[in-house]
Amino acid sequence: MPTTREYHSLAEVGHALQGRADRLTMPSLFDRFDWYALLHQHCFAAAPVRVLVAEERGAQAWIVLMQPEARRVSALANWYSFAWAPIFVGDPDAVQQRRLLDALARHLLVGNSQIDFYPLEDGGALLTSLRRAGWFALSRPMGGRYLLRPAGRDFATYWAARPGRLRTLVRRKARNSPYVLSISDRLTDDLWQDYVDVHDRSWKAAEPGLAFLRALAEQESDAGTLRLGFARLDGRAVATQYWTVEHRVALIHKLSHDRAHDAGSPGTLLSHAMFAQAIDQDRVELIDYGTGDNGYKADWMEERIALHRIDAFNPRFASSWLPAARTAISALVG
């Protein structure tokens, strides 16, 4: 029978994990302790952290949560998170994973009236455990991620299969282009200032998480996984892309461009260069465009996976009945 424990400090979690959820043991950035530590520090510092672990015969399941309000807990995730999921340590098989998740679901019943988890690629096992524990739990599709699996192709082969309108645009804009393209795997103060400068002139609203992005860029630069691309005109950056590449997986975190240069399409030309380097030099097996169903992503990618949100309500709390009914209706209508 699994035992459970709850932590309210990420420092305590780091000590308890003893390196079992770091870069050497977890291939995915979004399963690592340092990812959650940066995200909480820079984006959710005001929300108490709640980290649960269930353990059985050396195998563990961890879930990293925050408490945005009384009696409600949420996945520690936001728009920077490509995915959120329980973290399994000690290689439990499917049967043991189920027991560990069941224990976490039962633990959450104590003192919590509502929980929500997003973004989940596949939350079926977690949803089942919540229901077995007594939660009224619903799962809804909510957005998706676009992926590309080069599958041994070189960039030329991949590019030949892109939509004709995209290839024509790149060919036309690249002819006599005034933009100088560069890709760096090391962060400097000057490069970061260029990144911020482009973002300030982009179509995006003010970036609420620049401190988080800077900290992540520093961390990934030290690890050699950062790919920071720029298009420049007369030395000034006019488009930028923020990628990381590790374990043959490229993650596209952020794109920005100066709206004054829309006619020249520097962002599209930079994408062409970034994809070419990822496929031909980094030899990636997967490129992940992150969350969001932006139409332009479909031109570059070949696969879309759905993301899901789980909302669960504790029937022991009358205050959860009306939100549960509203969510159920929304799920049916949606």
Side-chain angles (χ1 to χ4, degrees), residues 11-332:
E12 291 179 352
V13 173
H15 179 73
L17 280 167
Q18 298 180 330
R20 287 173 292 178
D22 62 11
R23 191 179 298 272
L24 294 177
T25 56
M26 290 291 174
S28 171
L29 171 66
F30 307 106
D31 288 340
R32 296 178 193 154
F33 168 74
D34 54 13
W35 166 263
Y36 286 110
L38 286 180
L39 196 64
H40 186 259
Q41 176 185 353
H42 294 287
C43 300
F44 297 110
V49 67
R50 295 184 61 183
V51 182
L52 278 61
V53 58
E55 183 168 9
E56 181 186 58
R57 299 195 304 273
Q60 298 175 333
W62 294 78
I63 51 174
V64 185
L65 310 171
M66 58 180 171
Q67 186 165 1
E69 57 190 63
R71 295 182 177 175
R72 175 175 163 240
V73 291
S74 303
L76 181 54
N78 64 2
W79 51 87
Y80 300 125
S81 307
F82 289 29
W84 180 94
I87 302 166
F88 293 102
V89 174
D91 198 27
D93 62 20
V95 173
Q96 192 174 28
Q97 286 185 19
R98 184 187 67 190
R99 289 198 298 269
L100 294 169
L101 292 178
D102 285 354
L104 293 175
R106 289 192 299 270
H107 182 99
L108 283 168
L109 273 174
V110 180
N112 298 306
S113 64
Q114 184 176 345
I115 55 181
D116 57 88
F117 302 138
Y118 177 82
L120 290 156
E121 289 184 24
D122 178 9
L126 185 54
L127 180 69
T128 300
S129 286
L130 290 167
R131 289 173 173 170
R132 270 198 298 262
W135 290 91
F136 175 71
L138 299 164
S139 177
R140 294 176 285 167
M142 189 170 290
R145 299 211 320 270
Y146 279 96
L147 309 176
L148 171 71
R149 304 180 196 275
R153 291 172 288 177
D154 61 11
F155 178 75
T157 304
Y158 154 78
W159 186 245
R162 294 308 90 219
R165 63 183 179 278
L166 178 61
R167 291 184 285 114
T168 298
L169 175 65
V170 169
R171 184 170 59 250
R172 181 163 52 85
K173 297 298 183 180
R175 192 180 302 128
N176 301 317
S177 171
Y179 304 111
V180 176
L181 308 180
S182 64
I183 304 172
S184 176
D185 62 2
R186 289 292 183 271
L187 183 69
T188 66
D189 289 340
D190 288 342
L191 287 178
W192 186 251
Q193 186 53 54
D194 286 343
Y195 178 87
V196 174
D197 186 38
V198 173
H199 196 281
D200 287 346
R201 291 177 283 119
S202 77
W203 55 268
K204 294 178 171 59
E207 175 61 65
L210 277 175
F212 168 76
L213 292 173
R214 173 68 190 257
L216 180 65
E218 290 174 348
Q219 173 182 286
E220 299 308 301
S221 173
D222 290 343
T225 68
L226 181 68
R227 303 292 184 269
L228 198 58
F230 290 95
R232 290 184 171 83
L233 178 63
D234 298 330
R236 188 179 190 186
V238 297
T240 183
Q241 298 196 11
Y242 181 145
W243 293 34
T244 55
V245 178
E246 185 176 20
H247 300 301
R248 300 291 181 93
V249 175
L251 305 175
I252 305 177
H253 296 277
K254 298 288 290 185
L255 312 177
S256 298
H257 71 275
D258 185 339
R259 293 187 300 173
H261 290 266
D262 281 356
S265 300
T268 302
L269 296 177
L270 181 57
S271 286
H272 184 269
M274 299 288 289
F275 274 79
Q277 175 165 311
I279 293 171
D280 282 351
Q281 297 183 36
D282 290 314
R283 305 283 184 179
V284 298
E285 297 173 354
L286 175 69
I287 300 177
D288 191 330
Y289 226 134
T291 58
D293 281 313
N294 312 74
Y296 64 84
K297 295 181 180 180
D299 287 344
W300 295 89
M301 316 303 273
E302 296 175 345
E303 178 185 348
R304 180 188 180 276
I305 61 171
L307 296 174
H308 301 269
R309 174 186 169 110
I310 289 178
D311 289 280
F313 304 88
N314 189 341
R316 300 176 186 177
F317 290 88
S319 61
S320 71
W321 297 351
L322 182 57
R326 288 173 174 165
T327 301
I329 293 171
S330 175
L332 286 173

